[in-house]
Amino acid sequence: MHATTIVLLAAATLTSAQATFQRSSKRGLVFVPSDSHPTDNQIWVEGNSDLTWYYNYGVSPSPAYSNRTQEEFEFVPMLWSPSNSFLSSVKSMISGGRNISHIMTYNEPDGQSSTGGSNVDPSVAATNWISQVEPLRKLGVKTGAPAVTGAPSGFTWLSMFFDACASQGTNCTADFFPIHWYGNFGGLASHIGQVAGTYPNKSIWITEYADNNDTLINTQSFFNESAEYFDRIDYIDRYSYFGAFRSDVSNVGPNAAMLTSDGKLTDIGSWYLGGAATNNIPSATGSFGVRVVPDIGAMVVALVAGLCVL
């Protein structure tokens, strides 16, 4: 029997065993808008979608969801990199009637721009946090710690950040700690434990995660294990899977994507929305058989650049 046939049969067995998926109020959307296929943007909020919140790496809500109230689909602003207008923008949304209850800060500040990081010096981030984030905490807005990478450099960067805050006379208090992880479940669970141990009595959000560039059966197993774990652990408040795009443009491997190259929900995509398995197999090729896998840094940087002009 051909190896590809074996893999597909194994995947079919797995999807049959996992025909439906538990629903969860913790699930959110890492929104990566599709300019080529704008109708894809509505898949995440249609029907019986399980998703309750989203972020888009920027401070402004996405136009695709302009008809959704904060109560219907909560938008969480992000201070992607140091900005002197973040505070006024969030306060403007609040005064305009949008109930902003949480914000996120600094996307992968220990990472380089080539890999989607904001590459921010900890002392610069601390100064900016004190002016732009601390005033929001006084308004009752809950703040997320800088969303560092899952590498050891993330812990080093956070330690330097909090030390820099203290040296400037401020206790930069984070209400929750975001986690980014790409890899297997064992590594993810270990990393979560390390974060929880380093910053005890704090909530955790997993705001980017996927088993990248792995086989379909491993990727689906990772998704099942991680979702069950997140839903079971009390101090994990929210999570958002990185895969809301088509498989032929996925920068984390086709099998991690929640849509096929034709825009149909994969099993993971349907499960994430709280639905049944679809048996739609993701592919790395598009309609014309051309493999298109953009760089993750280019994707995020382009996305943020677009948000900045909104």
Side-chain angles (χ1 to χ4, degrees), residues 36-282:
S36 301
H37 307 283
T39 55
D40 288 359
N41 300 331
Q42 299 305 315
I43 290 174
W44 318 115
V45 293
E46 291 176 340
N48 294 320
S49 171
D50 212 20
L51 308 189
T52 59
W53 65 281
Y54 78 102
Y55 78 98
N56 57 18
Y57 298 100
V59 65
S60 301
S62 296
Y65 307 125
S66 60
N67 62 334
R68 303 278 170 169
T69 67
Q70 194 74 345
E71 290 68 32
E72 290 174 321
F73 197 38
E74 179 189 352
F75 171 65
V76 179
M78 171 181 269
L79 175 60
W80 193 80
S81 64
S83 165
N84 292 322
S85 61
F86 183 78
L87 174 60
S88 60
S89 295
V90 174
K91 289 177 69 175
S92 178
M93 282 189 284
I94 293 173
S95 63
R98 184 176 284 271
N99 179 25
I100 301 297
S101 59
H102 299 79
I103 61 168
M104 298 166 63
T105 61
Y106 310 123
N107 188 71
E108 300 192 353
D110 59 312
Q112 301 299 310
S113 58
S114 61
T115 56
S118 54
N119 190 21
V120 183
D121 182 88
S123 61
V124 172
T127 300
N128 191 241
W129 173 293
I130 291 168
S131 71
Q132 299 294 308
V133 176
E134 284 298 313
L136 292 173
R137 293 196 73 252
K138 296 177 181 178
L139 296 178
V141 177
K142 294 188 180 299
T143 56
V148 295
T149 69
S153 62
F155 286 100
T156 302
W157 192 98
L158 281 176
S159 178
M160 294 173 65
F161 167 76
F162 288 119
D163 286 347
C165 286
S167 70
Q168 296 180 48
T170 300
N171 179 19
C172 294
T173 304
D175 296 291
F176 60 93
F177 280 74
I179 283 176
H180 288 188
W181 184 262
Y182 293 94
N184 62 31
F185 176 73
L188 171 59
S190 176
H191 184 62
I192 291 173
Q194 188 175 3
V195 172
T198 306
Y199 302 101
N201 303 315
K202 293 290 185 178
S203 298
I204 286 177
W205 291 18
I206 296 86
T207 53
E208 275 190 30
Y209 75 101
D211 181 18
N212 57 318
N213 302 305
D214 206 341
T215 64
L216 180 59
I217 196 165
N218 285 348
T219 306
Q220 291 182 336
S221 294
F222 165 85
F223 176 82
N224 288 320
E225 284 185 280
S226 58
E228 187 278 331
Y229 183 74
F230 299 158
D231 289 335
R232 177 167 48 86
I233 302 301
D234 290 341
Y235 59 77
I236 296 178
D237 282 355
R238 300 187 184 191
Y239 59 95
S240 49
Y241 181 78
F242 191 78
F245 31 74
R246 297 191 179 200
S247 58
D248 59 325
V249 296
S250 173
N251 55 317
V252 287
N255 294 324
M258 292 199 283
L259 297 175
T260 67
S261 60
D262 295 325
K264 298 177 182 177
L265 284 170
T266 63
D267 289 334
I268 289 178
S270 184
W271 292 336
Y272 194 67
L273 300 183
T278 63
N279 294 317
N280 294 324
I281 306 299

